[in-house]
Amino acid sequence: MSVWTELVGQDRAVEVLSAAASEPAAMTHAWLITGPPGSGRSVAARAFAAALQDPHDSDGTGHEVRTALAGTHADVTVFATEKVQISIAEARELVGLAQRSPSQGRWRVIIVEDADRMTERTANVLLKAIEEPPPRTVWILCAPSPMDVLVTIRSRCRPVNLRVPPAEAVADLLVRRDGIDPELALTCARAAQSHIGMARRLATHPDARAYREKVLAVPTSIRGVGDAVLAAQTLVEDATEQSKLATTERDAAEKAELLRTLGAEEGARIPPALRAQIRQLEEEQKRRARRSLIDLLDRAMIDLLSFYRDVLLTQLGSDIPLINQAQTQQVQAMAGATAPEQSVHRMQAVGLARTRIAAGAAPLLAVEALTIALRPQG
Amino acid sequence: MPLAPVVLVRGGEGLLVDRTVARLTALVREHDPEAEVTVLEAGAYERGQLEVLTSPSLFGEHRHLIVEGTESASDAFIEDALAHVAAAGSTIEDVTLVIRHEKGTRGKKLLDTIGKAGYPVVTCDQIKRDGEKADFAAAEFSAAGRRATSAAVQALVEALGSDLRELAAGCSQLISDTTGTITPDVVERYYGGRVEATGFRVADAAVAGEQTQAITLLRHALETGVDPVPLVAVLAMKLRTLAKVAATRGRGSAADLGLPPWQVDRARRELRGWTPEGLARAITAVADADAQVKGESRDARYAVERAVLIVASAREG
């Protein structure tokens, strides 16, 4: 097994990256890995970092490679944010880190996942450091598309584009790595539209599958405006519930840990001098919860989009396989009852809701407007 | 009657606190016309200031200290004040200390100590309910020996009720400028056209289809500093309730909505004149406005106004 095993269906990218790792002349100091969500950007970045640390380790069992892949290598920094934006203070820290030479490996590698989550001011802080890093520092930025990062950052990086992996390849990975039943793996890979992480989540979490089915039931269950508003409420409430499940336990553990580090007793009155730090933690947690809710809703929107895509495909008589094979019946019923123009309009409504929620609109209201646009009309 | 050496005035109703403090100062002046009055800001207090100000003076005049902003007091002040409270009444003479504390728990130990020592604590909580505001205005008039009809008091509270200071100023203007019984006509002459506009009243008018009234209220609200974002949120909430109640019409299971019964009843009344299509148009318009006030458009006020107009016109009949 080589370092590239988990990067499925990306032969061209693997070729470029492995050549750069083994051939000094093919190497560059800054890389921008782009590709649709779930295509394995961060996997590619880690694999590349591992290959850089030890290019001769072809079977990926050496210490350097194993630690780099696991994210524990001393010279490989993986920076990801759980908030909506990377803050300027965090960017400055990375700039400082980039100046240090590697302590044990061949390269100091700094991976910035979500490089698109930077405001212009934050990105500007990184400009100089990315343009001329010290001889043995490599920046690897990940973003959905080159257009998502500032043009001045883009021009300083060498682009590597990942494509959407075929569903079969993703299913194959799920079977091989996570021991999922092949049939379920293929269904999940299709439903997740080859988003590897999402496919895995669907395959391993029955709750996630149930939520997805609930979302897909929305188009056929709305009969009028009242139903639409109620359906929107259920969608948002369920998403909130899920994001809470994911964060509550962790929030409490973090708070307990912080109190312990600060020397405050659990349950006792918190001394006034420490309150600012507790408040800061709570604010961070709030931001994280918001991001997680937005992400979940966005995922629900993508599922809805896939449903109308299937409807449109059926209406146009295309023979491309459906994403939602389990919902074939609903898709056909919907395709018969509506016109292709309506499907396009509805897909646009879903797109609008996605943009608005990402831009900070009130989630419930945006979803309400969406479900209203999805109701049967004329 | 001797003056209390320490008085604590708590609460966030600025006007009442000011009046209490002014009354205390007047009492001190009555006791000793030569008294020296000092006002201290607790946030900027430095260690020892209290001792300097309260140490016996050459001419033996009374010293009156007013400390403001204890809710954000420096640590030094709290320590010094605790020492002062412990010594007051026995070793410190001819000094009166008034401590103002608006809200919060900062300096709680000091507040508790003052309370436990048996010194007077005056609490001036914020007046929020309209009924209490009306009582306040009526008391203002009767204190000046004037008569005001209850309708007049009501009209005055509606016009100026957002801030107690404004209300008090309005009362005193009516007392000094008019003669005879104060009637709604008099209030209308002085404060007509001024309305207490909140997001809720704008939304109520819009949902009732009262276009002109809704726009008037909206302009008032925006001029008096209501932010467009909560205005849109209130509109959305109102329409959401309507749509939910409409969904249960005929099925009669409004109890499952998680809404208080009075809201359901009210929504049922307001639903007259609304069609599903109208509701759809209104909710879509409000969602557009929400995105616009959050950056999609440059003019947030225009966005809200447009949404209110669409909502008001979406109701038929």
Side-chain angles (χ1 to χ4, degrees):
Chain A
M1 146 186 173
S2 93
V3 294
W4 308 105
T5 323
E6 292 206 357
L7 193 59
V8 291
Q10 310 288 0
D11 305 335
R12 268 209 38 199
V14 169
E15 208 176 294
V16 173
L17 293 175
S18 57
S22 52
E23 189 83 38
M27 185 59 192
T28 318
H29 60 269
W31 297 76
L32 177 62
I33 301 184
T34 56
S39 56
R41 290 180 311 235
S42 56
V43 175
R46 277 170 204 248
F48 184 36
L52 280 176
Q53 297 302 354
D54 192 352
H56 308 296
D57 188 353
S58 56
D59 58 353
T61 48
H63 176 74
E64 302 268 329
V65 167
R66 271 190 295 118
T67 49
L69 283 180
T72 51
H73 195 287
D75 295 335
V76 178
T77 308
V78 181
F79 182 79
T81 185
E82 284 172 322
K83 290 173 286 180
V84 177
Q85 293 285 351
I86 294 176
S87 77
I88 205 156
E90 289 166 329
R92 288 217 175 92
E93 235 166 76
L94 290 180
V95 171
L97 186 69
Q99 298 306 316
R100 293 191 216 147
S101 52
S103 62
Q104 36 179 301
R106 297 168 63 231
W107 297 91
R108 170 162 300 280
V109 185
I110 300 178
I111 300 173
V112 182
E113 291 180 9
D114 313 316
D116 53 316
R117 292 188 184 272
M118 271 193 275
T119 59
E120 201 174 322
R121 252 161 58 82
T122 315
N124 282 335
V125 169
L126 293 180
L127 276 186
K128 192 68 192 159
I130 291 181
E131 185 174 44
E132 285 184 331
R136 308 222 62 83
T137 296
V138 185
W139 287 88
I140 307 177
L141 309 184
C142 305
S145 86
M147 305 310 277
D148 289 323
V149 296
L150 211 59
V151 64
T152 38
I153 294 260
R154 205 188 310 152
S155 66
R156 283 162 168 80
C157 296
R158 182 162 155 198
V160 175
N161 194 22
L162 304 180
R163 59 175 188 144
V164 179
E168 287 74 21
V170 175
D172 192 40
L173 176 72
L174 289 183
V175 174
R176 184 154 42 88
R177 187 183 61 183
D178 304 308
I180 309 280
D181 172 62
E183 197 177 323
L184 178 65
L186 189 60
T187 318
C188 292
R190 283 227 175 88
Q193 298 174 57
S194 296
H195 187 306
I196 299 171
M198 203 51 67
R200 175 156 183 241
R201 201 176 130 71
L202 281 178
T204 49
H205 289 70
D207 299 354
R209 281 206 296 278
Y211 182 63
R212 186 168 191 278
E213 262 158 39
K214 224 169 171 179
V215 170
L216 289 176
V218 165
T220 40
S221 70
I222 299 175
R223 293 210 167 68
V225 176
D227 287 344
V229 172
L230 290 176
Q233 186 186 2
T234 326
L235 274 185
V236 175
E237 268 174 10
D238 285 354
T240 316
E241 192 63 30
Q242 277 197 46
S243 89
K244 248 195 214 140
L245 271 183
T247 52
T248 317
E249 223 168 277
R250 196 166 145 210
D251 286 355
E254 274 178 359
K255 190 170 170 190
E257 173 65 20
L258 179 69
L259 284 178
R260 204 182 55 78
T261 338
L262 292 173
E265 258 179 74
E266 183 112 25
R269 230 177 113 263
I270 303 162
L274 301 182
R275 273 182 215 148
Q277 298 191 40
I278 307 271
R279 205 174 316 129
Q280 198 181 356
L281 176 76
E282 282 170 351
E283 264 162 30
E284 296 251 311
Q285 289 175 340
K286 230 183 254 166
R287 276 190 218 121
R288 195 167 66 195
R290 177 159 174 82
R291 154 109 188 252
S292 124
L293 174 66
I294 290 176
D295 285 356
L296 275 168
L297 281 177
D298 195 58
R299 196 62 227 168
M301 305 276 144
I302 292 176
D303 290 339
L304 279 177
L305 213 49
S306 75
F307 181 83
Y308 286 108
R309 169 218 183 248
D310 288 351
V311 171
L312 189 62
L313 283 182
T314 316
Q315 283 166 337
L316 299 178
S318 157
D319 52 1
I320 301 170
L322 296 186
I323 294 172
N324 301 293
Q325 307 230 327
Q327 279 77 20
T328 314
Q329 220 177 348
Q330 288 99 309
V331 167
Q332 271 166 356
M334 180 69 82
T338 59
E341 294 83 15
Q342 267 184 327
S343 304
V344 175
H345 278 308
R346 288 176 176 167
M347 288 169 86
Q348 276 170 346
V350 178
L352 183 67
R354 279 186 74 190
T355 338
R356 283 185 174 169
I357 292 178
L364 182 55
L365 184 55
V367 176
E368 275 168 359
L370 167 64
T371 48
I372 283 177
L374 298 183
R375 80 191 194 281
Q377 296 169 67
Chain B
M1 197 179 89
L3 299 168
V6 179
V7 178
L8 170 63
V9 188
R10 303 182 68 162
E13 194 57 80
L15 175 77
L16 299 182
V17 173
D18 283 352
R19 285 190 176 177
T20 312
V21 172
R23 173 104 185 92
L24 287 168
T25 313
L27 282 175
V28 168
R29 293 258 191 246
E30 231 169 74
H31 168 81
D32 177 4
E34 301 287 302
E36 184 187 314
V37 178
T38 318
V39 179
L40 270 182
E41 183 59 48
Y45 180 88
E46 277 167 32
R47 197 171 297 281
Q49 256 180 310
L50 204 57
E51 206 172 344
V52 172
L53 289 169
T54 57
S55 54
S57 82
L58 188 59
F59 304 105
E61 75 269 16
H62 183 91
R63 270 137 307 127
H64 183 61
L65 263 79
I66 302 166
V67 182
E68 292 182 341
T70 317
E71 62 277 359
S72 54
S74 61
D75 287 338
F77 173 74
I78 292 173
E79 271 174 42
D80 284 3
L82 279 171
H84 180 88
V85 171
S90 54
T91 55
I92 305 176
E93 282 170 8
D94 266 354
V95 173
T96 42
L97 175 67
V98 175
I99 294 180
R100 292 179 61 155
H101 189 278
E102 204 168 295
K103 59 182 176 215
T105 52
R106 177 102 184 113
K108 190 164 180 306
K109 191 173 171 203
L110 176 62
L111 306 186
D112 290 348
T113 314
I114 295 174
K116 260 185 227 142
Y119 292 122
V121 177
V122 185
T123 308
C124 310
D125 280 333
Q126 230 154 25
I127 297 188
K128 287 195 184 125
R129 297 216 331 268
D130 276 357
E132 288 172 351
K133 284 177 191 163
D135 290 347
F136 172 82
E140 289 283 298
F141 289 126
S142 68
R146 296 289 296 272
R147 261 182 47 77
T149 64
S150 63
V153 170
Q154 203 55 46
L156 193 61
V157 169
E158 262 169 37
L160 300 173
S162 60
D163 183 27
L164 203 67
R165 279 181 207 278
E166 248 183 285
L167 187 58
C171 290
S172 75
Q173 184 175 30
L174 287 178
I175 290 165
S176 65
D177 287 10
T178 63
T179 50
T181 304
I182 295 163
T183 60
D185 289 345
V186 177
V187 175
E188 172 71 19
R189 195 180 327 135
Y190 276 81
Y191 298 107
R194 271 215 52 166
V195 245
E196 179 57 3
T198 60
F200 290 99
R201 290 190 59 179
V202 176
D204 286 348
V207 166
E210 312 263 3
Q211 226 176 67
T212 323
Q213 201 200 345
I215 288 297
T216 316
L217 283 168
L218 173 69
R219 292 266 174 94
H220 269 298
L222 290 174
E223 287 309 327
T224 47
V226 178
D227 194 62
V229 174
L231 264 169
V232 174
V234 170
L235 265 178
M237 199 177 75
K238 190 96 201 168
L239 290 169
R240 184 173 301 141
T241 315
L242 284 192
K244 280 191 202 164
V245 173
T248 59
R249 206 155 43 170
R251 280 178 247 167
S253 59
D256 308 338
L257 293 176
L259 293 169
W262 64 268
Q263 266 191 16
V264 176
D265 288 344
R266 189 164 170 189
R268 284 223 174 96
R269 273 199 309 277
E270 286 170 341
L271 265 172
R272 254 170 245 145
W274 279 98
T275 58
E277 288 312 306
L279 271 178
R281 199 150 16 109
I283 294 179
T284 313
V286 174
D288 288 345
D290 181 57
Q292 282 160 1
V293 298
K294 285 177 182 159
E296 224 175 63
S297 140
R298 248 187 242 169
D299 193 345
R301 299 169 63 119
Y302 170 73
V304 188
E305 201 161 308
R306 189 165 166 275
V308 167
L309 278 175
I310 296 180
V311 171
S313 64
R315 181 179 181 271
E316 288 161 19

PDB file of all heavy atoms in Angstrom, chain A residues 30-32 34 123 127 130 141 143 145-159:
ATOM      1  N   ALA A  30       4.851  26.329  -3.300  1.00  0.00           N
ATOM      2  CA  ALA A  30       3.467  26.534  -2.877  1.00  0.00           C
ATOM      3  C   ALA A  30       2.520  25.847  -3.842  1.00  0.00           C
ATOM      4  O   ALA A  30       2.688  25.941  -5.055  1.00  0.00           O
ATOM      5  CB  ALA A  30       3.150  28.030  -2.818  1.00  0.00           C
ATOM      6  N   TRP A  31       1.538  25.141  -3.303  1.00  0.00           N
ATOM      7  CA  TRP A  31       0.609  24.378  -4.126  1.00  0.00           C
ATOM      8  C   TRP A  31      -0.810  24.753  -3.762  1.00  0.00           C
ATOM      9  O   TRP A  31      -1.099  25.046  -2.611  1.00  0.00           O
ATOM     10  CB  TRP A  31       0.788  22.872  -3.882  1.00  0.00           C
ATOM     11  CG  TRP A  31       2.126  22.366  -4.279  1.00  0.00           C
ATOM     12  CD1 TRP A  31       3.285  22.537  -3.588  1.00  0.00           C
ATOM     13  CD2 TRP A  31       2.461  21.628  -5.445  1.00  0.00           C
ATOM     14  NE1 TRP A  31       4.334  21.958  -4.247  1.00  0.00           N
ATOM     15  CE2 TRP A  31       3.837  21.375  -5.408  1.00  0.00           C
ATOM     16  CE3 TRP A  31       1.727  21.150  -6.526  1.00  0.00           C
ATOM     17  CZ2 TRP A  31       4.507  20.663  -6.398  1.00  0.00           C
ATOM     18  CZ3 TRP A  31       2.377  20.435  -7.511  1.00  0.00           C
ATOM     19  CH2 TRP A  31       3.765  20.202  -7.441  1.00  0.00           C
ATOM     20  N   LEU A  32      -1.673  24.748  -4.754  1.00  0.00           N
ATOM     21  CA  LEU A  32      -3.086  24.991  -4.488  1.00  0.00           C
ATOM     22  C   LEU A  32      -3.845  23.782  -5.014  1.00  0.00           C
ATOM     23  O   LEU A  32      -3.927  23.561  -6.215  1.00  0.00           O
ATOM     24  CB  LEU A  32      -3.555  26.266  -5.202  1.00  0.00           C
ATOM     25  CG  LEU A  32      -5.033  26.597  -5.061  1.00  0.00           C
ATOM     26  CD1 LEU A  32      -5.400  26.837  -3.606  1.00  0.00           C
ATOM     27  CD2 LEU A  32      -5.391  27.832  -5.882  1.00  0.00           C
ATOM     28  N   THR A  34      -7.164  22.007  -5.693  1.00  0.00           N
ATOM     29  CA  THR A  34      -8.581  22.338  -5.796  1.00  0.00           C
ATOM     30  C   THR A  34      -9.354  21.126  -6.281  1.00  0.00           C
ATOM     31  O   THR A  34      -8.799  20.215  -6.883  1.00  0.00           O
ATOM     32  CB  THR A  34      -8.806  23.479  -6.801  1.00  0.00           C
ATOM     33  OG1 THR A  34      -8.243  23.102  -8.054  1.00  0.00           O
ATOM     34  CG2 THR A  34      -8.166  24.758  -6.333  1.00  0.00           C
ATOM     35  N   ALA A 123      -6.030  36.904   3.955  1.00  0.00           N
ATOM     36  CA  ALA A 123      -5.228  36.321   2.888  1.00  0.00           C
ATOM     37  C   ALA A 123      -3.984  37.175   2.634  1.00  0.00           C
ATOM     38  O   ALA A 123      -2.892  36.654   2.370  1.00  0.00           O
ATOM     39  CB  ALA A 123      -6.075  36.206   1.623  1.00  0.00           C
ATOM     40  N   LEU A 127       0.348  36.509   2.024  1.00  0.00           N
ATOM     41  CA  LEU A 127       0.957  36.710   0.699  1.00  0.00           C
ATOM     42  C   LEU A 127       2.468  36.555   0.669  1.00  0.00           C
ATOM     43  O   LEU A 127       3.029  35.746  -0.073  1.00  0.00           O
ATOM     44  CB  LEU A 127       0.599  38.109   0.184  1.00  0.00           C
ATOM     45  CG  LEU A 127      -0.753  38.224  -0.502  1.00  0.00           C
ATOM     46  CD1 LEU A 127      -0.898  39.603  -1.085  1.00  0.00           C
ATOM     47  CD2 LEU A 127      -0.868  37.177  -1.580  1.00  0.00           C
ATOM     48  N   ILE A 130       3.876  33.141   1.477  1.00  0.00           N
ATOM     49  CA  ILE A 130       3.657  32.131   0.440  1.00  0.00           C
ATOM     50  C   ILE A 130       4.566  32.404  -0.761  1.00  0.00           C
ATOM     51  O   ILE A 130       5.069  31.492  -1.402  1.00  0.00           O
ATOM     52  CB  ILE A 130       2.175  32.116   0.011  1.00  0.00           C
ATOM     53  CG1 ILE A 130       1.329  31.568   1.151  1.00  0.00           C
ATOM     54  CG2 ILE A 130       1.968  31.279  -1.237  1.00  0.00           C
ATOM     55  CD1 ILE A 130      -0.128  31.466   0.861  1.00  0.00           C
ATOM     56  N   LEU A 141      -2.234  24.674  -0.032  1.00  0.00           N
ATOM     57  CA  LEU A 141      -3.549  25.243   0.248  1.00  0.00           C
ATOM     58  C   LEU A 141      -4.613  24.388  -0.432  1.00  0.00           C
ATOM     59  O   LEU A 141      -4.398  23.867  -1.518  1.00  0.00           O
ATOM     60  CB  LEU A 141      -3.652  26.672  -0.284  1.00  0.00           C
ATOM     61  CG  LEU A 141      -2.540  27.641   0.096  1.00  0.00           C
ATOM     62  CD1 LEU A 141      -2.850  29.023  -0.432  1.00  0.00           C
ATOM     63  CD2 LEU A 141      -2.366  27.705   1.601  1.00  0.00           C
ATOM     64  N   ALA A 143      -8.748  24.347  -1.597  1.00  0.00           N
ATOM     65  CA  ALA A 143      -9.962  25.145  -1.806  1.00  0.00           C
ATOM     66  C   ALA A 143     -10.822  24.447  -2.845  1.00  0.00           C
ATOM     67  O   ALA A 143     -10.306  23.680  -3.650  1.00  0.00           O
ATOM     68  CB  ALA A 143      -9.601  26.555  -2.256  1.00  0.00           C
ATOM     69  N   SER A 145     -12.298  25.656  -5.536  1.00  0.00           N
ATOM     70  CA  SER A 145     -11.893  25.987  -6.903  1.00  0.00           C
ATOM     71  C   SER A 145     -10.884  27.121  -6.830  1.00  0.00           C
ATOM     72  O   SER A 145     -10.840  27.855  -5.849  1.00  0.00           O
ATOM     73  CB  SER A 145     -13.101  26.402  -7.736  1.00  0.00           C
ATOM     74  OG  SER A 145     -13.332  27.779  -7.558  1.00  0.00           O
ATOM     75  N   PRO A 146     -10.062  27.294  -7.896  1.00  0.00           N
ATOM     76  CA  PRO A 146      -9.074  28.371  -7.855  1.00  0.00           C
ATOM     77  C   PRO A 146      -9.724  29.738  -7.671  1.00  0.00           C
ATOM     78  O   PRO A 146      -9.124  30.640  -7.099  1.00  0.00           O
ATOM     79  CB  PRO A 146      -8.396  28.279  -9.223  1.00  0.00           C
ATOM     80  CG  PRO A 146      -8.647  26.900  -9.698  1.00  0.00           C
ATOM     81  CD  PRO A 146      -9.944  26.481  -9.111  1.00  0.00           C
ATOM     82  N   MET A 147     -10.987  29.891  -8.121  1.00  0.00           N
ATOM     83  CA  MET A 147     -11.639  31.192  -8.008  1.00  0.00           C
ATOM     84  C   MET A 147     -11.968  31.532  -6.553  1.00  0.00           C
ATOM     85  O   MET A 147     -12.327  32.662  -6.263  1.00  0.00           O
ATOM     86  CB  MET A 147     -12.952  31.194  -8.798  1.00  0.00           C
ATOM     87  CG  MET A 147     -12.810  30.807 -10.241  1.00  0.00           C
ATOM     88  SD  MET A 147     -11.511  31.740 -11.040  1.00  0.00           S
ATOM     89  CE  MET A 147     -12.418  33.207 -11.421  1.00  0.00           C
ATOM     90  N   ASP A 148     -11.898  30.554  -5.668  1.00  0.00           N
ATOM     91  CA  ASP A 148     -12.276  30.807  -4.279  1.00  0.00           C
ATOM     92  C   ASP A 148     -11.180  31.470  -3.469  1.00  0.00           C
ATOM     93  O   ASP A 148     -11.419  31.909  -2.348  1.00  0.00           O
ATOM     94  CB  ASP A 148     -12.687  29.499  -3.589  1.00  0.00           C
ATOM     95  CG  ASP A 148     -14.011  29.009  -4.103  1.00  0.00           C
ATOM     96  OD1 ASP A 148     -14.863  29.865  -4.371  1.00  0.00           O
ATOM     97  OD2 ASP A 148     -14.180  27.795  -4.242  1.00  0.00           O
ATOM     98  N   VAL A 149      -9.968  31.500  -3.997  1.00  0.00           N
ATOM     99  CA  VAL A 149      -8.917  32.198  -3.258  1.00  0.00           C
ATOM    100  C   VAL A 149      -8.568  33.479  -3.993  1.00  0.00           C
ATOM    101  O   VAL A 149      -8.809  33.614  -5.196  1.00  0.00           O
ATOM    102  CB  VAL A 149      -7.652  31.329  -3.063  1.00  0.00           C
ATOM    103  CG1 VAL A 149      -7.953  30.137  -2.211  1.00  0.00           C
ATOM    104  CG2 VAL A 149      -7.061  30.927  -4.375  1.00  0.00           C
ATOM    105  N   LEU A 150      -7.996  34.400  -3.251  1.00  0.00           N
ATOM    106  CA  LEU A 150      -7.634  35.704  -3.781  1.00  0.00           C
ATOM    107  C   LEU A 150      -6.703  35.522  -4.984  1.00  0.00           C
ATOM    108  O   LEU A 150      -5.845  34.645  -4.987  1.00  0.00           O
ATOM    109  CB  LEU A 150      -6.887  36.439  -2.665  1.00  0.00           C
ATOM    110  CG  LEU A 150      -7.018  37.932  -2.614  1.00  0.00           C
ATOM    111  CD1 LEU A 150      -8.490  38.301  -2.461  1.00  0.00           C
ATOM    112  CD2 LEU A 150      -6.242  38.463  -1.427  1.00  0.00           C
ATOM    113  N   VAL A 151      -6.858  36.375  -6.001  1.00  0.00           N
ATOM    114  CA  VAL A 151      -6.071  36.216  -7.214  1.00  0.00           C
ATOM    115  C   VAL A 151      -4.569  36.303  -6.928  1.00  0.00           C
ATOM    116  O   VAL A 151      -3.751  35.595  -7.524  1.00  0.00           O
ATOM    117  CB  VAL A 151      -6.513  37.241  -8.284  1.00  0.00           C
ATOM    118  CG1 VAL A 151      -6.243  38.655  -7.830  1.00  0.00           C
ATOM    119  CG2 VAL A 151      -5.833  36.968  -9.600  1.00  0.00           C
ATOM    120  N   THR A 152      -4.215  37.124  -5.952  1.00  0.00           N
ATOM    121  CA  THR A 152      -2.785  37.269  -5.622  1.00  0.00           C
ATOM    122  C   THR A 152      -2.228  36.007  -4.951  1.00  0.00           C
ATOM    123  O   THR A 152      -1.055  35.700  -5.069  1.00  0.00           O
ATOM    124  CB  THR A 152      -2.569  38.463  -4.687  1.00  0.00           C
ATOM    125  OG1 THR A 152      -3.638  38.513  -3.775  1.00  0.00           O
ATOM    126  CG2 THR A 152      -2.515  39.744  -5.483  1.00  0.00           C
ATOM    127  N   ILE A 153      -3.095  35.266  -4.257  1.00  0.00           N
ATOM    128  CA  ILE A 153      -2.668  33.990  -3.673  1.00  0.00           C
ATOM    129  C   ILE A 153      -2.571  32.958  -4.794  1.00  0.00           C
ATOM    130  O   ILE A 153      -1.608  32.213  -4.917  1.00  0.00           O
ATOM    131  CB  ILE A 153      -3.705  33.496  -2.626  1.00  0.00           C
ATOM    132  CG1 ILE A 153      -3.745  34.423  -1.429  1.00  0.00           C
ATOM    133  CG2 ILE A 153      -3.450  32.053  -2.236  1.00  0.00           C
ATOM    134  CD1 ILE A 153      -2.985  33.970  -0.236  1.00  0.00           C
ATOM    135  N   ARG A 154      -3.591  32.969  -5.648  1.00  0.00           N
ATOM    136  CA  ARG A 154      -3.666  32.003  -6.727  1.00  0.00           C
ATOM    137  C   ARG A 154      -2.414  32.072  -7.594  1.00  0.00           C
ATOM    138  O   ARG A 154      -1.833  31.060  -7.979  1.00  0.00           O
ATOM    139  CB  ARG A 154      -4.902  32.320  -7.566  1.00  0.00           C
ATOM    140  CG  ARG A 154      -5.471  31.156  -8.330  1.00  0.00           C
ATOM    141  CD  ARG A 154      -6.563  31.647  -9.258  1.00  0.00           C
ATOM    142  NE  ARG A 154      -7.539  32.483  -8.579  1.00  0.00           N
ATOM    143  CZ  ARG A 154      -8.247  33.429  -9.180  1.00  0.00           C
ATOM    144  NH1 ARG A 154      -8.104  33.647 -10.462  1.00  0.00           N
ATOM    145  NH2 ARG A 154      -9.103  34.146  -8.500  1.00  0.00           N
ATOM    146  N   SER A 155      -1.967  33.295  -7.908  1.00  0.00           N
ATOM    147  CA  SER A 155      -0.837  33.457  -8.823  1.00  0.00           C
ATOM    148  C   SER A 155       0.482  33.021  -8.187  1.00  0.00           C
ATOM    149  O   SER A 155       1.472  32.854  -8.867  1.00  0.00           O
ATOM    150  CB  SER A 155      -0.739  34.913  -9.251  1.00  0.00           C
ATOM    151  OG  SER A 155      -0.411  35.700  -8.133  1.00  0.00           O
ATOM    152  N   ARG A 156       0.490  32.834  -6.881  1.00  0.00           N
ATOM    153  CA  ARG A 156       1.724  32.435  -6.219  1.00  0.00           C
ATOM    154  C   ARG A 156       1.805  30.923  -6.005  1.00  0.00           C
ATOM    155  O   ARG A 156       2.762  30.427  -5.433  1.00  0.00           O
ATOM    156  CB  ARG A 156       1.847  33.132  -4.861  1.00  0.00           C
ATOM    157  CG  ARG A 156       2.258  34.578  -4.958  1.00  0.00           C
ATOM    158  CD  ARG A 156       1.935  35.295  -3.656  1.00  0.00           C
ATOM    159  NE  ARG A 156       2.560  36.601  -3.595  1.00  0.00           N
ATOM    160  CZ  ARG A 156       2.086  37.682  -4.189  1.00  0.00           C
ATOM    161  NH1 ARG A 156       0.991  37.610  -4.920  1.00  0.00           N
ATOM    162  NH2 ARG A 156       2.701  38.832  -4.056  1.00  0.00           N
ATOM    163  N   CYS A 157       0.753  30.196  -6.410  1.00  0.00           N
ATOM    164  CA  CYS A 157       0.711  28.763  -6.138  1.00  0.00           C
ATOM    165  C   CYS A 157       0.655  27.973  -7.446  1.00  0.00           C
ATOM    166  O   CYS A 157       0.170  28.461  -8.468  1.00  0.00           O
ATOM    167  CB  CYS A 157      -0.545  28.409  -5.335  1.00  0.00           C
ATOM    168  SG  CYS A 157      -0.591  29.154  -3.727  1.00  0.00           S
ATOM    169  N   ARG A 158       1.122  26.751  -7.384  1.00  0.00           N
ATOM    170  CA  ARG A 158       0.984  25.866  -8.542  1.00  0.00           C
ATOM    171  C   ARG A 158      -0.306  25.072  -8.359  1.00  0.00           C
ATOM    172  O   ARG A 158      -0.521  24.444  -7.325  1.00  0.00           O
ATOM    173  CB  ARG A 158       2.184  24.938  -8.570  1.00  0.00           C
ATOM    174  CG  ARG A 158       2.152  24.006  -9.762  1.00  0.00           C
ATOM    175  CD  ARG A 158       3.517  23.456  -9.965  1.00  0.00           C
ATOM    176  NE  ARG A 158       3.435  22.182 -10.660  1.00  0.00           N
ATOM    177  CZ  ARG A 158       4.436  21.320 -10.674  1.00  0.00           C
ATOM    178  NH1 ARG A 158       5.562  21.569 -10.024  1.00  0.00           N
ATOM    179  NH2 ARG A 158       4.319  20.198 -11.338  1.00  0.00           N
ATOM    180  N   PRO A 159      -1.193  25.118  -9.337  1.00  0.00           N
ATOM    181  CA  PRO A 159      -2.492  24.458  -9.153  1.00  0.00           C
ATOM    182  C   PRO A 159      -2.459  22.960  -9.433  1.00  0.00           C
ATOM    183  O   PRO A 159      -1.733  22.508 -10.327  1.00  0.00           O
ATOM    184  CB  PRO A 159      -3.380  25.166 -10.185  1.00  0.00           C
ATOM    185  CG  PRO A 159      -2.444  25.605 -11.256  1.00  0.00           C
ATOM    186  CD  PRO A 159      -1.093  25.829 -10.622  1.00  0.00           C
TER     187      PRO A 159
END
